[in-house]
Structure formats: structure tokens, C-alpha cells
Amino acid sequence: QQQVKQSPQSLIVQKGGISIINCAYENTAFDYFPWYQQFPGKGPALLIAIRPDVSEKKEGRFTISFNKSAKQFSLHIMDSQPGDSATYFCAASTTGTASKLTFGTGTRLQVTL
Amino acid sequence: DVKVTQSSRYLVKRTGEKVFLECVQDMDHENMFWYRQDPGLGLRLIYFSYDVKMKEKGDIPEGYSVSREKKERFSLILESASTNQTSMYLCASLDAAQSQPQHFGDGTRLSIL
């Protein structure tokens, strides 16, 4: 049973474009929503995270948009760069922390020149 | 910087063997986790530990066990390896008290022949 549904599975974006990855969840007890970035041969690393008391969080070119009523959250990468090419995972937790995360299935992003 | 070290990057074993995957973290974190990562399935939690000698089953514990005799070391054990356990295994640690993210190792790619 997939508690966090992530789409698309893969994404190709031109350099300078906007990359958008979406996640949806069912469990209304989730209260912490991080995004992890994984480069080939490396473990995932935290990119940005949000809690449900805000609808948007921005860090540089990366923005999380959160829609509590729709139970959806998304990652937007502005001005996408080839160095952003990686696999991105959304996740959710009921503990308010990164403990016991439920991960999405991942999106492989390729940014072309 | 937190360092999570997994003892092997690549491992090849035969069906029926007992397999040990080792993970060591250097930041005195209480919580440690074992995941497996498969294409299209994301990261799935196998077991986690919130203190020495304490463990809890994750979402897919069947066929696995764990050991945590010291705070810095968390071992994943495949009691009798099977081909469907061929996967990438990721270890992570967390200082939940500080609201920090999970810190991942770079993974062990395990092939069971």
C-alpha cells in the first residue's frame, strides 16, 4: 500500500526551465514533509522540508508548495541546471521529525543543455 | 559533518548464505534505520532502532533481522539470502531530538546469485 504517491516517474527538462514533481498522501496524521535528492552512487540527502502550518517554503531555486486540503505537496525547481540531474524522493512522517519516514517512489530528473 | 559508513559498496553472495551488512555512524545518534531501494518502489523501511539493543520492524522485515550492540553500529542480517533480496541497501541515522534530517550512507549494492 503506497501511502505517498509520487509523479512523474521520470522527467526531462531543458536548462533554465522549471521542474515540477508532485506527491499526494492519504494519511492526515502526516505532519512533516521533506524532499530528498540522490545523486548516482550516493545516499539521499535532505533538500528542503515543510510542515503543514505553511503553504510554501522557498530555499534558493527550490520551493515546496503544500496544499493541506488536497493532501498534496510539490517540489518546484526554478532555472533548472544540469547539476540538478538526480533522483528526487518526497517523504512524509507522523512524528513531526524525520523519524519513521514514508517515502515516495522517486522521480528521476534529467536536465538537458 | 555527520558520516554514515556502510562497510561494502558492492557485495555478491549465494542463495542460502547468511549475509551481514554493517553500518557505522560517528555522531552519537540514537536512531538508526535500514532501507532497501528498488527501482519504481522508492525506499522501503526494513528495520529501525531507537537505542542500543532496541529495534522495531519497519514495513518489510520478512527475511531480515538486525543487531545493535553499540550505539554507533547497526547491522542488517539476511538469515538465508534469496534472489529477491538482490537490491540496494541504505543505512541512515538521525538525531531526532534536534529535529535534524536522516543522514544516509552511500549504500551497499547486494547481489544474490
Side-chain angles (χ1 to χ4, degrees), chain A residues 12-23:
Chain A
I12 300 175
V13 173
Q14 279 198 323
K15 179 182 175 183
I18 303 173
S19 304
I20 302 174
I21 305 170
N22 300 299
C23 283

Side-chain angles (χ1 to χ4, degrees), chain A residues 36 38 41 43-44 46 89 98-99 105, chain B residues 9 37 40 94 101-102 104-106:
Chain A
Y36 279 77
Q38 183 181 31
L46 178 70
F89 294 96
S99 185
T105 52
Chain B
R9 291 301 302 272
Q37 180 178 3
L94 169 70
Q102 288 192 21
F104 284 85
D106 288 337

Side-chain angles (χ1 to χ4, degrees), chain A residues 9 36 38 41-44 46 51 89 97-101 103-105, chain B residues 9 31 33 35 37 40-43 48 90 94 100-102 104-106:
Chain A
Q9 190 170 4
Y36 279 77
Q38 183 181 31
K42 295 292 186 182
L46 178 70
R51 290 189 166 80
F89 294 96
T97 71
S99 185
K100 292 199 70 177
L101 292 172
F103 283 87
T105 52
Chain B
R9 291 301 302 272
N31 295 8
F33 308 83
Y35 296 89
Q37 180 178 3
L41 296 177
L43 279 70
F48 69 100
L90 290 163
L94 169 70
Q100 292 296 305
Q102 288 192 21
F104 284 85
D106 288 337

Side-chain angles (χ1 to χ4, degrees), chain A residues 78-89:
Chain A
M78 311 300 287
D79 187 26
S80 298
Q81 299 296 312
D84 297 330
S85 297
T87 299
Y88 293 81
F89 294 96

Side-chain angles (χ1 to χ4, degrees), chain A residues 7 12 32 41 52 60 62 66 76 79 88 90 98 103 111:
Chain A
S7 63
I12 300 175
Y32 175 71
F62 300 92
F66 183 79
H76 296 236
D79 187 26
Y88 293 81
C90 63
F103 283 87
V111 181

Side-chain angles (χ1 to χ4, degrees), chain A residues 25 30-33 50-55 66 68:
Chain A
Y25 63 95
F30 284 145
D31 58 3
Y32 175 71
F33 303 89
I50 198 168
R51 290 189 166 80
D53 52 340
V54 297
S55 60
F66 183 79
K68 190 173 182 178

Side-chain angles (χ1 to χ4, degrees), chain A residues 35-96:
Chain A
W35 284 89
Y36 279 77
Q37 179 187 54
Q38 183 181 31
F39 293 107
K42 295 292 186 182
L46 178 70
L47 184 63
I48 187 172
I50 198 168
R51 290 189 166 80
D53 52 340
V54 297
S55 60
E56 186 175 283
K57 183 173 182 180
K58 185 175 181 180
E59 290 184 2
R61 295 183 295 107
F62 300 92
T63 300
I64 299 179
S65 296
F66 183 79
N67 186 328
K68 190 173 182 178
S69 61
K71 292 185 286 187
Q72 295 176 347
F73 58 110
S74 59
L75 176 69
H76 296 236
I77 306 174
M78 311 300 287
D79 187 26
S80 298
Q81 299 296 312
D84 297 330
S85 297
T87 299
Y88 293 81
F89 294 96
C90 63
S93 162
T94 61
T95 65

